Amino acid sequence: MKAYIIRRLLYMVLTLFGASVLIFGLYALTPGDFVDNNPKLTDERKAELKQMYGLDKPVVERYFVWLGNAVRGDFGYSLQYQQPVTSLLSQYIWNSFLIASASTLFTWLIAIVIGVISATRQYSFFDSAVTIGAFAAMSFPSFFAGLLIIKFFAVDLGWFPPGGMITTGSNATGLAYVWEVIDHMFLPVLVLTMLGVGSLTRYFRTNMLEIIRQDFIRTARAKGLKEKTVVYKHALRNALLPAITLLGFELPALFGGAIITEKIFNWPGVGQLYMQAFSLRDYPLLMGFTMFLAILTVVSNLLADLLYGVADPRVRLK
Amino acid sequence: MTNALLTIDHLQTHFFTPSGVVKAVNDISLRVREGETVCIVGESGCGKSVTAMSVLGLVAEPQGKVVGGDIRFDGVDLLQLSPLEKQQLRGNDIAMIFQEPMSSLNPVLTIGEQIMEPLWEHLLLSKKEARAKAIELISLVGIPRPEEIMNAYPHQLSGGMLQRIMIAIAISCNPRLLIADEPTTALDVTIQAQILDLLREIKETYNTAILLITHDLGVVAEMADYVVVMYAGKVIEEGPVLELFSNPRHPYTRGLLQAKPVIGQRKKRLNSIPGQVPNLIGLADSCYFHDRCESCMSVCRLKQPELKQIDDGHRVACWLYEEESGLA
């Protein structure tokens, strides 16, 4: 087990090294940079700035300078904000994490419950309705669903604020502040949940249907166990196993931000920050954030594999 | 003669598939008396397992359905029971073991947990009592180090051991009837003999009636008191084991017995019955065996023979023996 973890950690370092080459290479090879982008600057001023930011050096040298700093946890300064990338990210990432974690929680809960019910009553009215509903929810583009929901709940009914994270000009503190954020979170979380729940429901339904046809379910029934025990103890536990791998992919998504949804609801998340950095070619910020996601992906994959071992006895002992 | 424990009368179980109705069990009647071992023999796909599943009410709905006949267990009509009553009966009065021990146990639960489940459910034992009883059951079915086995998972045990565990689960609530659906088919020969010995021991100790489903005539000879031969969803011959083996009447039963190797006789080729079990969808009104039968007559293609008594306890459905009673 120890040797396995050490080997996996070594692979992780190699993977991340490859990822860093790709990430830096792609951004460095894109023509134009933060300085070229600004038409108000004179040529002399541009040359001066490029020297200051180190943009005049050869690509390979720039890569190793960047990598050397990155290894020490320093991803450089955002050109646009003139702040360290790490502190900038930590300001925005938690906002994204807030809505992403809430919607992930709801998505999984709803998907598991609906998936199990519709699998145990395959081809019933409920099952057909859910299958069609899941398809419909999946097919909505997020900008359309978002705007529609703003129109209904914020404009027509006036139940929830249409955007932002706090009410403009509000100085609420303590519990009042928490309530305000929850009030603002509601609509973006609703959109994200709606978009995610379809595919996950179908996933759980298929998994459950497959498990429920297995021999050991027949044994459980032949033992005279209650149908509830058969479904929730014997079937669901087995159906949840492959979902652990899926959970591994969710972790980067929790911090990755939802670009379109955040934009529509004007949520100060990292997705919006990322979009802005793109249009201004704020490369240090872009590279830092992409690298951060790469690290998260690799770590969560390792975590998922280890968790799988805990949950499935057949993997545990190998 | 003791009373009938399980009585199946004119049972019909059909499967409704897109290509037509499959009459998997087509008018089957049989009887299992207390403490008796009845074997159902037949080729794959002749409705043996579906008969067993119908008894337990485990036919996969909505495709499969018991459409006619009745099943009585100790006088109670099983088809009229509510789902709750059926559930209380399963594993308690009637228990079942299956063909594939490797896939019949839940891979993520410990062996102990799976043995204790019916004890909690039916005998309402406490965790501690159930644990003691489970350990007792594991040693009863001949597995050493029961405490260790309690915490093991199915993938850590061999097929033979898993089938013993399945038997331990099946007998945990002292059932009066044990249905064994090809319990030895997936095991190698030496293990087969051990499992059969174990079943016989259980039968003798607890006076459990056994309904044994198999296609292996060796198993039948070793275990059965009474044999029912099935073909294409119908009973074609039945009788006490000695009578049936020494004096088989139906051409299909004869074929089966000739297809079996006999020790001490070396033949170049074993006899085989040509052809296959017919497709069970849209069968014509004929003897279902007629196109494979070596003594097929014209009447066999037109009408179905009925199951008729020919000797004491020996019944056969074949036109060859109808003539004697002046028919055809």
Side-chain angles (χ1 to χ4, degrees):
Chain A
M1 195 64 193
K2 212 170 164 189
Y4 171 76
I5 294 179
I6 291 172
R7 204 173 68 225
R8 284 295 302 263
L9 287 174
L10 273 176
Y11 285 148
M12 246 173 75
V13 172
L14 282 178
T15 314
L16 286 177
F17 179 72
S20 75
V21 172
L22 274 178
I23 290 167
F24 189 92
L26 284 175
Y27 285 127
L29 291 177
T30 324
D33 53 37
F34 185 67
V35 180
D36 294 330
N37 227 15
N38 194 337
K40 281 182 266 175
L41 296 175
T42 60
D43 284 350
E44 294 81 51
R45 180 66 184 148
K46 274 185 185 171
E48 204 179 85
L49 279 173
K50 280 196 183 198
Q51 200 188 4
M52 205 176 100
Y53 294 144
L55 292 171
D56 55 341
K57 296 198 184 87
V59 175
V60 178
E61 194 185 330
R62 271 161 57 201
Y63 169 70
F64 281 106
V65 170
W66 175 74
L67 185 69
N69 290 332
V71 168
R72 273 176 268 131
D74 174 13
F75 283 94
Y77 270 79
S78 156
L79 302 173
Q80 172 198 359
Y81 289 89
Q82 294 300 325
Q83 272 186 54
V85 168
T86 39
S87 71
L88 197 60
L89 284 180
S90 64
Q91 279 171 40
Y92 284 86
I93 271 177
W94 296 109
N95 295 342
S96 286
F97 178 75
L98 199 61
I99 51 171
S101 54
S103 77
T104 307
L105 181 74
F106 288 125
T107 311
W108 277 69
L109 280 181
I110 295 171
I112 290 175
V113 172
I114 296 182
V116 168
I117 296 177
S118 85
T120 46
R121 302 185 199 158
Q122 199 188 4
Y123 305 130
S124 65
F125 174 75
F126 177 84
D127 182 34
S128 319
V130 160
T131 312
I132 293 172
F135 254 121
M138 270 161 75
S139 327
F140 266 111
S142 59
F143 58 86
F144 184 67
L147 291 177
L148 209 62
I149 277 172
I150 290 179
K151 157 128 176 60
F152 276 139
F153 291 103
V155 179
D156 292 353
L157 296 170
W159 289 354
F160 298 101
M165 193 167 160
I166 47 169
T167 314
T168 319
S170 153
N171 313 310
T173 49
L175 208 60
Y177 175 77
V178 173
W179 271 116
E180 207 173 297
V181 172
I182 290 177
D183 195 30
H184 282 79
M185 264 172 76
F186 196 89
L187 291 186
V189 169
L190 181 68
V191 170
L192 288 177
T193 308
M194 206 179 104
L195 294 175
V197 87
S199 55
L200 209 59
T201 301
R202 285 163 54 79
Y203 179 81
F204 277 116
R205 178 177 176 271
T206 322
N207 265 1
M208 276 301 278
L209 280 177
E210 198 181 304
I211 297 290
I212 244 160
R213 296 203 180 97
Q214 301 276 322
D215 286 351
F216 61 81
I217 296 299
R218 187 184 56 186
T219 308
R221 291 212 172 103
K223 285 201 287 195
L225 302 183
K226 292 192 184 74
E227 191 60 21
K228 234 196 227 154
T229 317
V230 174
V231 170
Y232 289 98
K233 185 171 166 190
H234 285 260
L236 185 60
R237 262 199 75 170
N238 281 282
L240 281 177
L241 285 180
I244 292 175
T245 321
L246 215 60
L247 204 59
F249 292 118
E250 294 275 9
L251 190 62
L254 283 182
F255 294 93
I259 294 176
I260 295 171
T261 312
E262 283 174 6
K263 192 94 198 159
I264 287 175
F265 289 97
N266 198 22
W267 187 264
V270 77
Q272 275 217 64
L273 183 74
Y274 194 57
M275 244 357 247
Q276 235 167 45
F278 248 116
S279 49
L280 291 171
R281 309 192 176 207
D282 189 353
Y283 290 139
L285 181 57
L286 291 175
M287 289 190 296
F289 182 60
T290 318
M291 198 61 211
F292 170 71
L293 285 187
I295 295 170
L296 266 184
T297 308
V298 175
V299 169
S300 58
N301 262 326
L302 178 64
L303 277 182
D305 283 356
L306 293 179
L307 266 180
Y308 206 112
V310 174
D312 189 340
R314 286 164 295 184
V315 179
R316 194 182 304 164
L317 293 137
K318 274 172 198 159
Chain B
M1 200 153 272
T2 43
N3 292 332
L5 182 64
L6 176 76
T7 317
I8 300 178
D9 263 319
H10 303 288
L11 177 71
Q12 288 178 299
T13 306
H14 294 180
F15 287 87
F16 300 91
T17 67
S19 41
V21 179
V22 180
K23 296 180 177 172
V25 174
N26 190 357
D27 198 5
I28 291 268
S29 302
L30 62 86
R31 219 157 305 274
V32 183
R33 296 189 178 84
E34 237 157 312
E36 184 186 43
T37 302
V38 172
C39 277
I40 304 183
V41 202
E43 277 169 280
S44 315
C46 72
K48 296 169 299 193
S49 300
V50 179
T51 309
M53 294 313 251
S54 306
V55 173
L56 279 183
L58 289 178
V59 177
E61 294 199 25
Q63 303 94 317
K65 213 172 174 265
V66 175
V67 293
D70 60 20
I71 304 172
R72 287 180 179 277
F73 179 79
D74 203 15
V76 180
D77 190 345
L78 296 189
L79 297 177
Q80 303 302 323
L81 291 182
S82 71
L84 179 70
E85 287 169 316
K86 262 190 222 168
Q87 181 223 313
Q88 284 167 346
L89 191 95
R90 288 200 288 258
N92 196 7
D93 293 310
I94 307 179
M96 183 156 180
I97 54 179
F98 300 94
Q99 183 171 350
E100 291 283 346
M102 303 289 211
S103 58
S104 292
L105 287 162
N106 193 327
V108 300
L109 299 178
T110 58
I111 299 287
E113 169 112 28
Q114 298 189 60
I115 298 182
M116 290 188 288
E117 270 179 335
L119 298 173
W120 295 329
E121 184 69 44
H122 299 301
L123 304 184
L124 309 171
L125 297 186
S126 71
K127 291 223 164 184
K128 219 171 150 191
E129 291 165 332
R131 201 182 153 78
K133 169 99 182 167
I135 290 174
E136 194 189 310
L137 283 164
I138 296 175
S139 10
L140 189 79
V141 294
I143 301 179
R145 295 176 286 113
E147 281 90 356
E148 250 171 78
I149 299 293
M150 285 291 282
N151 299 321
Y153 288 92
H155 71 276
Q156 294 167 295
L157 306 186
S158 67
M161 277 164 103
L162 290 176
Q163 195 61 296
R164 284 169 192 271
I165 296 293
M166 285 298 290
I167 293 174
I169 294 173
I171 61 169
S172 61
C173 302
N174 288 323
R176 296 169 66 193
L177 174 67
L178 177 64
I179 303 179
D181 187 358
E182 310 234 9
T184 55
T185 308
L187 307 174
D188 46 17
V189 186
T190 47
I191 309 293
Q192 277 188 20
Q194 293 174 9
I195 295 291
L196 292 178
D197 281 342
L198 179 61
L199 285 176
R200 216 169 9 218
E201 251 169 60
I202 285 161
K203 180 192 159 185
E204 273 153 26
T205 322
Y206 301 98
N207 195 33
T208 314
I210 298 180
L211 180 63
L212 182 65
I213 294 167
T214 182
H215 59 250
D216 185 341
L217 288 165
V219 172
V220 176
E222 211 165 315
M223 300 290 294
D225 297 318
Y226 195 83
V227 187
V228 175
V229 184
M230 274 183 77
Y231 187 80
K234 286 203 165 287
V235 174
I236 53 148
E237 184 165 9
E238 59 174 75
V241 63
L242 277 175
E243 164 73 15
L244 197 101
F245 270 68
S246 58
N247 198 7
R249 296 299 183 89
H250 199 285
Y252 178 66
T253 318
R254 285 187 196 160
L256 279 184
L257 285 167
Q258 278 162 11
K260 184 174 168 291
V262 179
I263 292 173
Q265 282 179 29
R266 209 174 259 257
K267 289 188 201 161
K268 279 249 160 61
R269 260 184 93 92
L270 281 173
N271 282 317
S272 64
I273 306 173
Q276 280 168 358
V277 182
N279 187 350
L280 295 180
I281 297 173
L283 278 175
D285 193 20
S286 64
C287 172
Y288 296 157
F289 188 60
H290 76 89
D291 52 349
R292 299 173 71 185
C293 184
E294 48 191 13
S295 28
C296 177
M297 305 176 292
S298 53
V299 62
C300 303
R301 298 178 213 277
L302 300 172
K303 268 172 84 180
Q304 213 166 66
E306 269 176 46
L307 200 59
K308 285 263 162 78
Q309 183 107 0
I310 48 164
D311 263 321
D312 188 29
H314 192 162
R315 282 143 52 100
V316 66
C318 181
W319 288 116
L320 285 174
Y321 307 99
E322 298 273 356
E323 282 170 328
E324 291 162 17
S325 47
L327 253 162

